[in-house]
Protein backbone atom coordinates (compact mmCIF):
# COMPACT_ATOMS: atom_id res chain seq x y z
CA UNK A 1 0.00 0.00 0.00
CA UNK A 2 2.87 2.37 0.92
CA UNK A 3 4.68 1.42 -2.27
CA UNK A 4 1.60 2.16 -4.36
CA UNK A 5 1.21 5.57 -2.73
CA UNK A 6 4.88 6.36 -3.40
CA UNK A 7 4.53 5.44 -7.08
CA UNK A 8 1.42 7.59 -7.29
CA UNK A 9 3.30 10.64 -5.94
CA UNK A 10 6.12 10.07 -8.42
CA UNK A 11 3.65 9.89 -11.31
CA UNK A 12 1.96 13.13 -10.19
CA UNK A 13 5.37 14.81 -9.93
CA UNK A 14 6.33 13.72 -13.47
CA UNK A 15 3.02 15.01 -14.84
CA UNK A 16 3.53 18.39 -13.10
CA UNK A 17 7.07 18.66 -14.50
CA UNK A 18 5.77 17.96 -18.04
CA UNK A 19 2.99 20.54 -17.65
CA UNK A 20 5.45 23.17 -16.36
CA UNK A 21 7.90 22.45 -19.19
CA UNK A 22 5.24 22.76 -21.90
CA UNK A 23 3.91 26.01 -20.35
CA UNK A 24 7.43 27.44 -20.28
CA UNK A 25 7.91 26.66 -23.99
CA UNK A 26 4.58 28.30 -24.87
CA UNK A 27 5.38 31.47 -22.88
CA UNK A 28 8.83 31.72 -24.49
CA UNK A 29 7.32 31.24 -27.95
CA UNK A 30 4.75 33.99 -27.37
CA UNK A 31 7.43 36.34 -26.03
CA UNK A 32 9.62 35.73 -29.09
CA UNK A 33 6.71 36.35 -31.46
CA UNK A 34 5.89 39.61 -29.63
CA UNK A 35 9.53 40.74 -29.80
CA UNK A 36 9.72 39.97 -33.51
CA UNK A 37 6.47 41.90 -34.09
CA UNK A 38 7.71 44.90 -32.11
CA UNK A 39 11.03 44.83 -33.97
CA UNK A 40 9.23 44.75 -37.32
CA UNK A 41 6.99 47.65 -36.30
CA UNK A 42 10.01 49.66 -35.18
CA UNK A 43 11.81 48.96 -38.45
CA UNK A 44 8.73 49.96 -40.48
CA UNK A 45 8.30 53.16 -38.48
CA UNK A 46 11.97 54.00 -38.91
CA UNK A 47 11.76 53.32 -42.64
CA UNK A 48 8.69 55.53 -42.95
CA UNK A 49 10.37 58.36 -41.09
CA UNK A 50 13.49 58.06 -43.23
CA UNK A 51 11.44 57.98 -46.45
CA UNK A 52 9.57 61.21 -45.65
CA UNK A 53 11.67 64.08 -46.94
CA UNK A 54 11.08 67.46 -45.32
CA UNK A 55 8.58 69.63 -47.17
CA UNK A 56 10.16 72.18 -49.49
CA UNK A 57 9.46 75.79 -48.51
CA UNK A 58 7.65 77.74 -51.22
CA UNK A 59 7.07 81.46 -51.58
CA UNK A 60 4.09 82.64 -53.64
CA UNK A 61 5.29 85.38 -55.99
CA UNK A 62 2.35 87.25 -57.50
CA UNK A 63 3.21 89.62 -60.35
CA UNK A 64 0.75 92.32 -61.44
CA UNK A 65 2.02 93.46 -64.84
CA UNK A 66 1.22 94.64 -68.37
CA UNK A 67 2.46 93.06 -71.58
CA UNK A 68 3.77 96.30 -73.12
CA UNK A 69 5.05 97.92 -69.94
CA UNK A 70 8.85 98.53 -70.12
CA UNK A 71 9.21 98.12 -66.36
CA UNK A 72 7.27 94.84 -66.50
CA UNK A 73 9.54 93.63 -69.29
CA UNK A 74 12.63 94.55 -67.30
CA UNK A 75 11.35 92.77 -64.20
CA UNK A 76 10.58 89.54 -66.09
CA UNK A 77 13.89 89.51 -67.94
CA UNK A 78 16.26 90.71 -65.22
CA UNK A 79 14.60 89.58 -61.99
CA UNK A 80 11.75 87.07 -62.21
CA UNK A 81 13.07 84.51 -64.68
CA UNK A 82 16.71 84.53 -63.44
CA UNK A 83 15.51 84.13 -59.84
CA UNK A 84 13.22 81.24 -60.81
CA UNK A 85 16.10 79.51 -62.59
CA UNK A 86 18.13 79.58 -59.37
CA UNK A 87 15.47 78.62 -56.80
CA UNK A 88 12.56 77.23 -58.82
CA UNK A 89 11.65 74.65 -56.17
CA UNK A 90 11.05 77.42 -53.66
CA UNK A 91 8.82 79.62 -55.82
CA UNK A 92 5.24 79.55 -57.03
CA UNK A 93 4.70 82.14 -59.78
CA UNK A 94 1.28 83.71 -60.21
CA UNK A 95 1.32 86.07 -63.20
CA UNK A 96 -1.54 88.62 -63.49
CA UNK A 97 -1.46 90.30 -66.94
CA UNK A 98 -3.78 93.29 -66.49
CA UNK A 99 -2.11 96.21 -64.71
CA UNK A 100 -3.90 99.54 -64.95
CA UNK A 101 -6.43 98.47 -67.57
CA UNK A 102 -10.18 98.93 -67.17
CA UNK A 103 -13.00 96.53 -68.03
CA UNK A 104 -16.50 97.36 -69.28
CA UNK A 105 -19.17 94.67 -69.52
CA UNK A 106 -21.08 94.78 -72.82
CA UNK A 107 -23.88 92.78 -74.44
CA UNK A 108 -21.28 91.01 -76.56
CA UNK A 109 -18.81 90.35 -73.76
CA UNK A 110 -16.16 92.73 -72.46
CA UNK A 111 -14.43 95.87 -73.61
CA UNK A 112 -10.99 96.81 -72.31
CA UNK A 113 -8.92 99.95 -72.19
CA UNK A 114 -5.24 99.36 -71.51
CA UNK A 115 -2.52 101.77 -70.46
CA UNK A 116 -0.52 101.22 -73.65
CA UNK A 117 -3.44 100.97 -76.06
CA UNK A 118 -5.47 98.23 -77.79
CA UNK A 119 -2.38 96.20 -78.76
CA UNK A 120 -1.56 95.76 -75.09
CA UNK A 121 -5.09 94.47 -74.42
CA UNK A 122 -4.56 91.88 -77.14
CA UNK A 123 -1.16 90.95 -75.73
CA UNK A 124 -2.58 90.71 -72.20
CA UNK A 125 -5.24 88.29 -73.44
CA UNK A 126 -2.62 86.13 -75.12
CA UNK A 127 -0.61 86.12 -71.90
CA UNK A 128 -3.77 85.13 -69.99
CA UNK A 129 -4.35 82.25 -72.40
CA UNK A 130 -0.72 81.16 -72.23
CA UNK A 131 -1.05 80.90 -68.45
CA UNK A 132 -4.29 78.94 -68.91
CA UNK A 133 -2.82 76.49 -71.44
CA UNK A 134 0.79 75.95 -70.34
CA UNK A 135 0.80 74.14 -66.98
CA UNK A 136 4.52 73.46 -66.55
CA UNK A 137 5.75 76.34 -64.31
CA UNK A 138 9.20 76.75 -65.89
CA UNK A 139 7.91 76.46 -69.45
CA UNK A 140 5.08 78.89 -68.70
CA UNK A 141 7.39 81.54 -67.24
CA UNK A 142 9.94 81.08 -70.01
CA UNK A 143 7.21 81.56 -72.61
CA UNK A 144 5.82 84.71 -70.95
CA UNK A 145 9.34 86.10 -70.68
CA UNK A 146 9.99 85.37 -74.34
CA UNK A 147 6.82 87.17 -75.45
CA UNK A 148 7.19 90.20 -73.20
CA UNK A 149 10.54 91.00 -74.78
CA UNK A 150 8.74 91.96 -78.00
CA UNK A 151 5.00 92.12 -77.48
CA UNK A 152 4.24 94.86 -80.03
CA UNK A 153 3.05 92.17 -82.46
CA UNK A 154 1.23 89.88 -80.02
CA UNK A 155 0.12 87.07 -82.34
CA UNK A 156 3.41 86.94 -84.22
CA UNK A 157 5.45 86.77 -81.05
CA UNK A 158 3.04 84.17 -79.68
CA UNK A 159 3.87 81.96 -82.68
CA UNK A 160 7.62 82.62 -82.85
CA UNK A 161 8.22 82.03 -79.14
CA UNK A 162 6.19 78.83 -79.31
CA UNK A 163 8.14 77.58 -82.33
CA UNK A 164 11.48 78.41 -80.67
CA UNK A 165 10.47 76.50 -77.54
CA UNK A 166 8.82 73.59 -79.32
CA UNK A 167 5.35 74.49 -78.03
CA UNK A 168 2.12 74.04 -79.98
CA UNK A 169 0.66 77.55 -80.09
CA UNK A 170 -2.70 76.47 -81.58
CA UNK A 171 -4.36 75.85 -78.16
CA UNK A 172 -3.23 79.32 -77.06
CA UNK A 173 -4.62 80.89 -80.21
CA UNK A 174 -7.89 78.97 -79.82
CA UNK A 175 -8.15 80.20 -76.26
CA UNK A 176 -7.47 83.78 -77.36
CA UNK A 177 -10.27 83.61 -79.94
CA UNK A 178 -12.77 81.92 -77.62
CA UNK A 179 -12.26 82.91 -74.01
CA UNK A 180 -9.42 85.42 -73.98
CA UNK A 181 -11.74 88.26 -72.98
CA UNK A 182 -13.25 86.25 -70.15
CA UNK A 183 -9.85 85.34 -68.73
CA UNK A 184 -8.62 88.93 -68.92
CA UNK A 185 -11.79 90.14 -67.20
CA UNK A 186 -11.13 87.68 -64.38
CA UNK A 187 -7.59 89.00 -64.00
CA UNK A 188 -9.12 92.46 -63.93
CA UNK A 189 -11.34 91.47 -61.00
CA UNK A 190 -8.38 90.03 -59.13
CA UNK A 191 -6.34 93.17 -59.78
CA UNK A 192 -9.23 95.36 -58.68
CA UNK A 193 -9.49 93.43 -55.41
CA UNK A 194 -5.85 94.37 -54.71
CA UNK A 195 -5.99 97.86 -56.22
CA UNK A 196 -5.21 99.65 -52.96
CA UNK A 197 -1.76 98.06 -53.02
CA UNK A 198 -1.07 98.75 -56.69
CA UNK A 199 0.16 102.23 -57.63
CA UNK A 200 3.00 101.09 -59.88
CA UNK A 201 3.33 98.45 -62.57
CA UNK A 202 4.71 95.94 -62.01
CA UNK A 203 3.66 95.35 -58.40
CA UNK A 204 4.80 92.18 -56.71
CA UNK A 205 3.53 90.47 -53.59
CA UNK A 206 5.45 87.77 -51.71
CA UNK A 207 3.09 85.40 -49.94
CA UNK A 208 0.38 88.06 -50.45
CA UNK A 209 2.48 90.70 -48.68
CA UNK A 210 2.97 93.90 -50.68
CA UNK A 211 5.65 95.47 -48.48
CA UNK A 212 9.17 96.38 -49.66
CA UNK A 213 8.30 97.05 -53.31
CA UNK A 214 11.53 98.96 -54.10
CA UNK A 215 13.64 96.17 -52.62
CA UNK A 216 11.69 93.46 -54.50
CA UNK A 217 11.95 95.26 -57.84
CA UNK A 218 15.67 95.79 -57.30
CA UNK A 219 16.58 92.29 -56.10
CA UNK A 220 13.76 89.73 -56.11
CA UNK A 221 16.18 86.88 -55.50
CA UNK A 222 17.45 88.38 -52.24
CA UNK A 223 13.96 89.17 -50.94
CA UNK A 224 12.62 85.67 -51.63
CA UNK A 225 15.65 84.07 -49.98
CA UNK A 226 15.20 86.25 -46.90
CA UNK A 227 11.74 84.73 -46.40
CA UNK A 228 13.00 81.15 -46.49
CA UNK A 229 13.75 79.55 -43.11
CA UNK A 230 16.11 77.07 -44.74
CA UNK A 231 17.53 78.80 -47.84
CA UNK A 232 18.70 76.40 -50.58
CA UNK A 233 22.11 76.53 -52.26
CA UNK A 234 20.61 78.72 -54.97
CA UNK A 235 20.34 81.54 -52.43
CA UNK A 236 24.09 81.73 -51.97
Amino acid sequence: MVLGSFRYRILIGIILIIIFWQSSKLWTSRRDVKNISNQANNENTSAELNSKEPAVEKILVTVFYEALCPDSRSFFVKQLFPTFERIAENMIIKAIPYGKATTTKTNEGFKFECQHGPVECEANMIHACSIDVIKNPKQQLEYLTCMIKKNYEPQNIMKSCAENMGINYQPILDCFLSKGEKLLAEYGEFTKANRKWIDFIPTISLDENFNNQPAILKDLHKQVCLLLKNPPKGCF
Side-chain angles (χ1 to χ4, degrees), residues 117-137:
V119 174
E120 181 170 74
C121 292
E122 181 182 345
N124 284 344
M125 279 188 273
I126 291 175
H127 276 239
C129 281
S130 301
I131 295 165
D132 186 65
V133 171
I134 304 173
K135 301 304 181 183
N136 179 279

Side-chain angles (χ1 to χ4, degrees), residues 147-187:
M147 288 195 297
I148 205 170
K149 291 178 182 179
K150 193 179 178 181
N151 254 145
Y152 292 98
E153 296 179 344
Q155 293 193 45
N156 287 338
I157 198 67
M158 171 191 69
K159 295 177 182 178
S160 63
C161 284
E163 290 170 352
N164 290 337
M165 292 178 59
I167 296 173
N168 179 11
Y169 68 82
Q170 191 61 48
I172 301 172
L173 179 60
D174 292 342
C175 169
F176 169 67
L177 297 175
S178 61
K179 62 177 183 178
E181 289 186 358
K182 179 178 179 293
L183 290 177
L184 189 57
E186 290 174 355
Y187 281 128

Side-chain angles (χ1 to χ4, degrees), residues 57 59 206-207 222-231:
E57 292 180 87
I59 303 299
L206 303 181
D207 280 347
K222 178 180 179 180
Q223 296 306 312
V224 172
C225 287
L226 286 174
L227 293 176
L228 295 169
K229 296 178 181 178
N230 298 297

Side-chain angles (χ1 to χ4, degrees), residues 30-186:
R30 287 179 177 176
R31 183 186 60 188
D32 291 343
V33 169
K34 184 176 181 180
N35 289 338
I36 292 171
S37 178
N38 288 338
Q39 182 179 359
N41 288 335
N42 290 336
E43 289 176 354
N44 289 337
T45 301
S46 178
E48 287 178 2
L49 291 174
N50 292 332
S51 66
K52 292 180 180 178
E53 297 181 358
V56 177
E57 292 180 87
K58 292 185 180 292
I59 303 299
L60 172 61
V61 180
T62 306
V63 183
F64 297 85
Y65 73 103
E66 297 165 341
L68 295 188
C69 170
D71 291 311
S72 296
R73 178 173 64 248
S74 178
F75 181 75
F76 266 81
V77 175
K78 297 180 180 180
Q79 294 292 332
L80 186 60
F81 189 68
T83 298
F84 188 80
E85 284 190 307
R86 294 179 66 179
I87 52 173
E89 289 188 355
N90 301 94
M91 297 175 68
I92 300 173
I93 306 298
K94 186 175 182 178
I96 312 296
Y98 187 85
K100 294 185 177 181
T102 60
T103 304
T104 303
K105 184 75 170 68
T106 68
N107 293 332
E108 292 77 25
F110 300 94
K111 180 181 178 181
F112 303 98
E113 290 186 12
C114 297
Q115 185 170 203
H116 300 93
V119 174
E120 181 170 74
C121 292
E122 181 182 345
N124 284 344
M125 279 188 273
I126 291 175
H127 276 239
C129 281
S130 301
I131 295 165
D132 186 65
V133 171
I134 304 173
K135 301 304 181 183
N136 179 279
K138 184 178 186 300
Q139 191 177 56
Q140 181 190 108
L141 181 57
E142 185 176 355
Y143 188 62
L144 296 178
T145 303
C146 177
M147 288 195 297
I148 205 170
K149 291 178 182 179
K150 193 179 178 181
N151 254 145
Y152 292 98
E153 296 179 344
Q155 293 193 45
N156 287 338
I157 198 67
M158 171 191 69
K159 295 177 182 178
S160 63
C161 284
E163 290 170 352
N164 290 337
M165 292 178 59
I167 296 173
N168 179 11
Y169 68 82
Q170 191 61 48
I172 301 172
L173 179 60
D174 292 342
C175 169
F176 169 67
L177 297 175
S178 61
K179 62 177 183 178
E181 289 186 358
K182 179 178 179 293
L183 290 177
L184 189 57
E186 290 174 355

